[in-house]
Amino acid sequence: MTLAPYAARQETSRGRHVAEPSSGNRTEYQRDRDRIIHCAAFRRLEYKTQVFVNHEGDLFRTRLTHSVEVAQIARTIARSLALNEDLVEAISLAHDLGHTAFGHAGQDALNECMKPFGGFEHNIQSLRVVDVLENKYAAFDGLNLTFETREGILKHCTKAKARHLGDVGQRFLDDSHPSLEAQLANLSDEIAYNNHDVDDGLRAGLLSLDQLAQVPLFARFYDEVITLYGQDLSAKQIRHEVIRRMINYLVVDVIETSQAALSSLQPASIDAVRGADRALIAFSPEARRLNVELKRFLYKNLYSHHQVYRITSKARRVIKALFDAFLADPKLLPPKFSERVPPTGDDADRKIRARLIADYIAGMTDRYALDEYDRLFDPRRLR
Ligand code: MG
């Protein structure tokens, strides 16, 4: 497959922090993807909640299946646009590595706890996982990924935080864009979660087809499916036939809109993409509007649903209780963390202590966090 001139390519890569000999049989971005798949944080995604808490049922998305769906969508679009599939896959599979247990409730709770110590942000944590926290290689900390994969992982960042993030923080300071592959992984994330959350919401019985028939994007394809097949389909078939059409519509829209933008601007290289006056991977205005309406519907009816809220509220209490207990008494941390807690207690030391605790908590899967909570607070638990 020939890459477009504006695609990322290893020959023009900004490289790795620690230089390594090339692999011979794999491209640099394939190597990045392989390192991500073989890291512990990637395996933990299997037991981290996307929206529905992991033990609610075996069919709901987890962070792992979400990441695989993001990679699938991103690769489809990348191939159509002659972008670098290996890079887009690496970014997609790594984009949620820094997410806490219990979905956004977990992230919000940990951010709240970390407010006095610089906050907690899952994007920055994903970068921290691949740059620092994975520590099984002899020659370097982290996974020593290429600049382009790291650039894609850090998808949002405030300017204040970007100042401390070195090479990959720079684009937030000079308002430039990341590679097309990074832009694409970001949009594919949105396509994946909007659609699979509709699917999971319906399957869980928290959303109904009647309710969704009021949402324009869903309604458009719901009507098409009913016209084609009549009312004979099962609810499961209707759900699937509508959602596959919604995904396809958004994917084709991104391909066509982005292709038009690329044809008119004709960026000659990845650096021309970075310096362009706008993001070039995008939805059309109509698809964007339909997508935003769907997202609003999900916020109102799924993410704030009473049943979801009760569980996420419990999740917040678990995260906060763990954080508070470790902060008050770091000797409760497992030795590999407590050994690194500075003994004295000035402001800088307290920040280091809090960050170690955040790293420990952010790495926990849902079930590990619940178990750790029991180990700390249930007087009958011995270990
Ligand atoms: Mg995601």
Side-chain angles (χ1 to χ4, degrees):
M1 172 91 204
T2 316
L3 292 174
Y6 35 75
R9 54 191 72 221
Q10 58 178 359
E11 300 76 35
T12 56
S13 171
R14 295 189 183 176
R16 305 177 187 277
H17 274 162
V18 178
E20 295 182 58
S22 62
S23 120
N25 58 339
R26 289 176 299 162
T27 69
E28 295 305 318
Y29 303 126
Q30 275 181 287
R31 276 175 115 181
D32 281 1
R33 178 206 53 206
D34 298 349
R35 286 179 187 188
I36 290 158
I37 287 178
H38 287 271
C39 82
F42 184 72
R43 290 191 294 280
R44 292 197 199 110
L45 295 176
E46 184 175 1
Y47 300 102
K48 288 187 175 188
T49 286
Q50 182 68 24
V51 173
F52 292 88
V53 179
N54 218 295
H55 50 268
E56 281 183 271
D58 290 347
L59 288 178
F60 297 120
R61 267 65 174 192
T62 64
R63 288 253 167 238
L64 180 66
T65 61
H66 161 70
S67 302
V68 171
E69 289 183 31
V70 174
Q72 179 273 313
I73 290 169
R75 286 187 54 180
T76 297
I77 300 173
R79 191 174 300 186
S80 293
L81 296 175
L83 298 179
N84 196 310
E85 275 184 65
D86 295 330
L87 175 59
V88 92
E89 186 180 18
I91 297 169
S92 301
L93 294 178
H95 84 284
D96 271 349
L97 287 177
H99 236 296
T100 61
F102 310 127
H104 277 278
Q107 129 93 29
D108 293 347
L110 191 52
N111 186 30
E112 198 55 44
C113 297
M114 285 295 288
K115 276 267 160 69
F117 311 103
F120 176 87
E121 218 280 303
H122 67 87
N123 274 301
I124 297 177
Q125 191 70 11
S126 296
L127 187 66
R128 195 166 153 75
V129 166
V130 300
D131 278 357
V132 182
L133 297 177
E134 284 289 326
N135 57 357
K136 60 184 178 178
Y137 289 86
F140 42 76
D141 282 340
L143 305 177
N144 197 34
L145 302 180
T146 61
F147 175 86
E148 290 72 27
T149 301
R150 298 172 54 246
E151 170 191 54
I153 291 172
L154 188 65
K155 60 179 175 181
H156 312 291
C157 183
T158 60
K159 290 199 173 182
K161 297 230 162 96
R163 284 194 190 94
H164 306 286
L165 293 170
D167 52 1
V168 283
Q170 195 54 40
R171 77 177 159 96
F172 298 95
L173 302 176
D174 31 76
D175 290 319
S176 57
H177 297 282
S179 71
L180 296 170
E181 287 79 1
Q183 297 178 30
L184 175 52
N186 192 12
L187 270 198
S188 304
D189 185 22
E190 216 174 291
I191 297 175
Y193 68 67
N194 278 329
N195 284 284
H196 66 49
D197 289 352
V198 169
D199 191 32
D200 282 352
L202 282 168
R203 182 183 289 113
L206 301 185
L207 301 175
S208 70
L209 287 174
D210 286 348
Q211 235 180 340
L212 275 155
Q214 309 302 313
V215 182
L217 179 60
F218 192 93
R220 175 187 297 198
F221 298 109
Y222 180 69
D223 293 345
E224 184 182 310
V225 168
I226 298 300
T227 309
L228 267 175
Y229 298 102
Q231 291 283 2
D232 301 339
L233 298 182
S234 67
K236 178 171 155 186
Q237 286 169 314
I238 294 175
R239 188 174 81 217
H240 178 67
E241 288 294 338
V242 176
I243 290 172
R244 66 192 279 254
R245 283 171 172 76
M246 291 201 299
I247 296 176
N248 186 60
Y249 163 75
L250 294 169
V251 163
V252 170
D253 182 85
V254 170
I255 293 170
E256 290 174 356
T257 310
S258 309
Q259 189 61 70
L262 290 163
S263 305
S264 89
L265 199 73
Q266 304 213 355
S269 67
I270 188 171
D271 280 331
V273 165
R274 288 180 173 131
D277 59 355
R278 62 187 192 279
L280 296 167
I281 302 293
F283 289 119
S284 65
E286 195 199 0
R288 170 146 301 286
R289 179 179 58 77
L290 290 168
N291 206 38
V292 167
E293 280 166 343
L294 174 61
K295 207 187 273 198
R296 253 188 234 129
F297 169 86
L298 287 170
Y299 267 99
K300 184 159 173 270
N301 298 286
L302 182 63
Y303 310 141
S304 335
H305 191 286
H306 174 66
Q307 257 169 269
V308 174
Y309 181 79
R310 280 178 62 112
I311 302 225
T312 53
S313 151
K314 190 156 42 177
R316 273 195 298 273
R317 271 174 277 142
V318 169
I319 297 286
K320 181 159 173 22
L322 290 174
F323 187 88
D324 290 346
F326 291 131
L327 190 68
D329 185 359
K331 289 201 290 289
L332 293 173
L333 287 164
K336 76 167 182 170
F337 286 92
S338 61
E339 280 159 7
R340 288 154 51 210
V341 172
T344 55
D346 67 7
D347 273 3
D349 286 344
R350 267 199 295 276
K351 265 192 164 173
I352 297 172
R353 174 197 297 190
R355 188 59 59 191
L356 279 166
I357 294 168
D359 286 340
Y360 179 45
I361 292 178
M364 294 178 183
T365 60
D366 287 28
R367 57 184 189 176
Y368 186 95
L370 293 173
D371 216 36
E372 185 73 337
Y373 180 89
D374 280 350
R375 282 191 291 264
L376 279 181
F377 296 107
D378 179 352
R380 285 176 198 83
R381 275 287 290 266
L382 297 176
R383 63 181 98 144

